[in-house]
Amino acid sequence: MRTRIAAILVVGVVALGLVMSPGCKKSPEGTAPETTAAAAEPIKVGAILAVTGPASFLGAPEAKTLEMLVEQMNQAGGASGHKIELLIKDSGAKPENAISMAKQLIDEEKVLAIIGPSTSGETMAIKNICEEGKTILLSCAAAEAIVNPVANHVFKTPQKDSDAARRIFEVMKDAGITKIGVITSNAGFGIAGGQQLQKLAPDYGVTIAISETYDKQETDLTGVLTKLKGAEVEAVVNWSIVPAQSLVAKNMRQIALDVPLFQSHGFGNIKYVEAGGEAANGTIFPCGRLLVADVLPDGHPQKQVLVKYKSDYESRYNEDASTFGGHAYDALLILAEAIKKAGSVETAQVRDAIESLQGVVGTGGIFNFSAQDHNGLDKEAFEVLTVVDGKFAVYEP
Amino acid sequence: MNLSQIVQYGLAGITVGSIYAITAIGFNIIYATTGVINFAQGEFLIVGAMTAISLSRIAPLPVAILGAVLITTVLGGLIEIVFIRPVKHASVLRLIVITIGLSILIREAMLHVWDEKVRSLPYFTGTPVSTVTILGAHISPQILWVLGVSAVIVIALTLFFRFTRTGRAMRACSDDRMAARLCGINDRWMVTLSFMLSAGIGAFAGCVISPVTQTQYDMGAPLAIKGFTVAIVGGLGNSMGAVAAGLFLGLLEALVMSQFATAYKDVVAIVVLLLILIFRPSGLFTRSDVSALRTV
Amino acid sequence: MMRLRIYYPVIAGAIVIVVLHLVLAAADATYYMTQITMSAYYALVVIGLCLLMGYAGQISLGHAGFFAIGGYTVAVLTTYNLAAYRDAPLLARCHSLGLLVEWQDLYGREILSFSPWVAFGAALLLTAIIALVIGMPVIRLKGHYLAMATLGFGLIIYRIALGTPILGQADGISTVPPFPLFDGLQVNGRAPFRVQNYYIAWAVVLTAVVLSLNLVHSRVGRALRSIHENEEAAHSLGVNTYRYKLAVFILSALFAAIGGALLTHYNGSIGPSEATVMKSVRYVAVVAVGGMANLWGVLLMGILLNFLSLRGVFGTFDDAVFGGILIGMMILAPQGLLRVAGVRTIVSRLAGRSHG
């Protein structure tokens, strides 16, 4: 009797899992087939995002952004008249899931393009698959290796780590800082950032006196920072993501390590400032301009896009917009612009069109693609920001 | 390294160690009564902290914490009644697997109730930047809270288990459940009570460390792993041993960090755990009655 | 002979596999084979774990670690570029022995690395050694101490994978070449090789099942079952419990490593996510729901659950489903789903198994 209950329950759990969260989230307006002659055929766009799991701070805003944007676009008639059918898959930041889902989207759903994945590890795992499957991949992950060496169908929207490092070093050079300590998390983002810092420091006359890696799940960083304090550094650079970013700021002040703190562009959400409280004031970091959209001068080319995205996102989802969601926004925007330019939804033509896009105003910056540059951003995409009285502001030296 | 640097490392070690210690205390209660290691213990800490954070929006901090502790206590009791009690003839294997499943379910429930963002409670005293100076080195006052609360809990537990009837009844259950039942002790309620106590203490611990470590829905598992590592090292069932082992492990990690690359710090705890399990499973601070633990 | 009866399900299974292929081909849906193939390699792990948990009664919360050892060894040895050292005498010797291969990667770079056969052999050897070294002290432990120790082992492997530069750290290794077997067969994830790899994966899995069935129905298997029922009694009857448990531990580790190695070639990549605690827990959940000591149940559940999970069918509830299964099974049906009355008689007739 009990085993029978068990059987029913397990089947029920599995069925519940199947029902409650369909693996593919479809956009609201996309599924009705267009029968009238005037409308063009709908296009399928896939997305592999880490909505849950260790990279959910990336994937969740990216998924929400895409759903919001697709709905807006479909209400306005779609991308050049083609309604968009969005298929979001939650990979949980696991490369093996990303591989399986990529193959699904390419072989079964035959999507025009895949947006995502959210992390570099997943993107590298599916880079070959998308290239061989001749499907456009617009990655929201940061690693330089995604577009270097260039694969024809693979693009990425986040800014380059090396440019972020360059902006940091420029500020240091101006401020006369020559001896620094670098701490990075052991996630892919942290390691990549650490490598760029090592590579570029000599160009700006900066010596990295000490460089340490900590675990991304670390709950307290006073030990590592004590080590930096012992090395008598003039500034600390932290390259990580949440929650370590706020911890560093607090721990530094708690052990009286009173030197400037530089963060990476992973610091892209006002919540991290709130989490750090007073300690976050004075942090200097390069970032996309989304966070200071409201204080940009009115003539700034990005202002309109940024302000609209920020207010739409915040009013719809009741949470602060972050630069991470912006990477997905840019990906879909680029795809739509390419479709418009190519005047078709054939993969090869859209792909060629992406490479020829110039001056696309996105949230991360202004994109200029070419056959050799599948990222399209340079260091001007970054604005150096700081935190004043718990709010983001543009850094004035 | 001068004196203040050494003291600073020591304080760093105590900071981390206190977090481990307070997490470990909760394991011992359930173990002491049922002989089971509750893998879901880490989740109680996070549930407590998250609830307190939500409540703190509508109530002052002490009320929020009290509310969170009460809610989590009830939750712990419910979990025991629904998931643990129905299991008849439970082998240790089965119960371990159940608590693992529970920890996953609770974590996923938290994800869907609270979403993935990182939050924290406000500091009990002072601000994120206040600092207390000891011998030229600095530490956040919140750590002193963690240590203080750990001490109070351990003392209260020791008194409870040694001098109250319920406490002694719970210890009787762990020694020999059948005999306890024959003495008229309602062993099933003792088990429920042990879960409730563990959950409540876990919730309080979660609240007090939340300003330091911040709170995110998936922090339960890493905390639990460190927590029961420390509990085993100190000797399962031995709360004072757990605190001592926690501080010991924290200081050991700080030592390793000062001499080697920081990346090796996390391996220290696991290696210590394996060494203890292989050579002295009863723990560092408990007598070695190991016959029940080894096979041939 | 009576012994042949136990192989009937294997033959039945093989027929089902072929029929499935034909059905999918007719429906023009062979793309499902991707997830089935991946699930088959994951199923290797649970078959081994079934032997360990169901028959020898030893829990392991770290089996994803062995999967990772197999996968990473293969990945490193087949991708590490030795071209710079090609003139060193030792390497020249290896090359002439055919241990090294030259190939071009996706970007046209010349790579000189170990041949996949050498890498595979090295993976097995390394896994066996590590399983022996870890198993020797750990098998002596009981109950939650054993669980904790295996968990600790899994964590160490995860930390090593996450922290070592040559293993790719957090991003893993993603340029793993295919594994040419013989006669033009390759373990390769690309579309043209899909059907081929479907059969390769199932061939490996069925071989593992046959080996396991042999083991279970042999003297060793009976000794294991006696250990599971009552270890002290078995010991007093002269069964060398320690050695048998250790042997099963190493065997289950090898199964996991083979699964890891082959899946790494199939996917072309591996990352630290294959070595996490959650993965180990999922393997345990599959063994639990399949019926601890029920090879076929475990295999079936492994394929089904991994298939659904890989396709993202569970959505954001992926982990929750496995957690729920763990709890449900342990509380209500510790003998597994296939023991439900009704299903039970059918299964036992098919399997010809006598014990309940």
Side-chain angles (χ1 to χ4, degrees), chain A residues 14-269:
Chain A
V14 171
L16 206 63
L18 283 170
V19 161
M20 275 175 89
S21 247
C24 304
K25 290 198 210 157
K26 306 207 179 186
S27 68
E29 317 237 334
T31 43
E34 299 294 320
T35 47
T36 54
E41 79 222 37
I43 53 170
K44 285 190 188 175
V45 174
I48 301 176
L49 301 171
V51 183
T52 59
S56 52
F57 67 97
L58 292 170
E62 285 166 359
K64 291 186 180 132
T65 302
L66 281 180
E67 282 171 355
M68 179 181 86
L69 191 57
V70 165
E71 206 177 281
Q72 284 177 352
M73 286 173 95
N74 279 342
Q75 271 168 359
S80 301
H82 300 270
K83 291 252 197 263
I84 303 174
E85 188 183 329
L86 181 66
L87 302 159
I88 298 183
K89 293 214 164 265
D90 178 7
S91 66
K94 292 185 220 162
E96 59 274 8
N97 284 13
I99 290 173
S100 163
M101 290 167 185
K103 289 185 178 173
Q104 264 184 279
L105 290 171
I106 296 174
D107 296 330
E108 294 175 42
E109 304 284 354
K110 302 204 185 357
V111 297
L112 169 62
I114 297 179
I115 296 182
S118 316
T119 67
S120 306
E122 294 173 86
T123 309
M124 293 310 290
I126 69 171
K127 187 175 173 184
N128 299 353
I129 296 173
C130 293
E131 183 62 23
E132 283 169 20
K134 295 208 180 354
T135 303
I136 298 168
L137 181 66
L138 292 152
S139 171
C140 299
E144 313 250 333
I146 296 172
V147 293
N148 180 12
V150 167
N152 286 334
H153 291 80
V154 177
F155 302 84
K156 82 170 173 91
T157 54
Q159 308 93 335
K160 294 192 183 48
D161 291 337
S162 52
D163 287 335
R166 287 196 180 91
R167 294 304 295 261
I168 291 176
F169 284 133
E170 281 170 9
V171 172
M172 285 182 180
K173 193 165 174 191
D174 283 337
I177 296 173
T178 52
K179 184 173 161 194
I180 64 171
V182 171
I183 50 174
T184 68
S185 86
N186 64 359
F189 181 65
I191 306 273
Q195 286 168 346
Q196 293 301 329
L197 289 169
Q198 294 275 5
K199 202 166 82 167
L200 296 169
D203 295 346
Y204 295 84
V206 175
T207 326
I208 300 179
I210 178 171
S211 177
E212 292 285 350
T213 312
Y214 55 85
D215 186 54
K216 57 187 189 284
Q217 286 174 325
E218 199 54 73
T219 49
D220 182 84
L221 292 166
T222 48
V224 183
L225 289 168
T226 306
K227 231 174 159 177
L228 263 68
K229 194 172 177 192
E232 288 170 0
V233 296
E234 295 166 17
V236 173
V237 181
N238 175 50
W239 205 285
S240 78
I241 53 183
V242 67
Q245 298 169 114
S246 320
L247 278 179
V248 171
K250 291 195 290 191
N251 290 156
M252 272 177 70
R253 302 288 284 275
Q254 282 160 2
I255 63 166
L257 177 58
D258 290 320
V259 294
L261 171 63
F262 290 82
Q263 299 260 24
S264 70
H265 49 297
F267 200 60
N269 191 326

Side-chain angles (χ1 to χ4, degrees), chain B residues 150-171:
Chain B
S150 304
V152 165
I153 294 179
V154 169
I155 294 174
L157 278 180
T158 316
L159 293 174
F160 172 76
F161 278 119
R162 206 174 284 187
F163 296 117
T164 65
R165 263 183 80 168
T166 327
R168 285 204 293 261
M170 282 169 76
R171 275 168 56 205

Side-chain angles (χ1 to χ4, degrees), chain B residues 225 229 270 273, chain C residues 62 150-160 275 277:
Chain B
I225 291 175
T229 300
I270 307 170
L273 173 67
Chain C
T150 53
L151 182 70
F153 163 70
L155 280 171
I156 288 188
I157 300 295
Y158 174 70
R159 292 270 155 221
I160 293 176
V277 173

Side-chain angles (χ1 to χ4, degrees), chain C residues 19-39:
Chain C
V19 166
L20 185 58
H21 170 207
L22 296 172
V23 166
L24 288 178
D28 201 22
T30 50
Y31 39 72
Y32 285 117
M33 284 183 176
T34 304
Q35 283 84 21
I36 297 178
T37 310
M38 289 173 79
S39 303

